[in-house]
Amino acid sequence: MSVIWILISISIVIAACFLFAFVKATRSGQFDDDYTPSVRMLFDDELREDTETTENQAKTT
């Protein structure tokens, strides 16, 4: 029975370490999105064309 308490306490310590590592990585910007802005640049012309067509349609009505 004492082995169960040892295993539970070890698993709680390991889980706390993983939680600490996750919080530290999140605060340091590890999960920031660096890929999307570079791809958004490639599709910027298509977005402008869509907004221009909707603006032109709004002006004609």
Side-chain angles (χ1 to χ4, degrees), residues 24-38:
K24 185 176 179 182
T26 304
R27 288 189 179 174
S28 69
Q30 181 73 26
F31 300 112
D32 287 346
D33 187 15
D34 294 333
Y35 179 69
T36 301
S38 62

Side-chain angles (χ1 to χ4, degrees), residues 5-16:
W5 294 111
I6 292 171
L7 290 175
I8 289 173
S9 62
I10 290 173
S11 65
I12 289 174
V13 168
I14 291 173

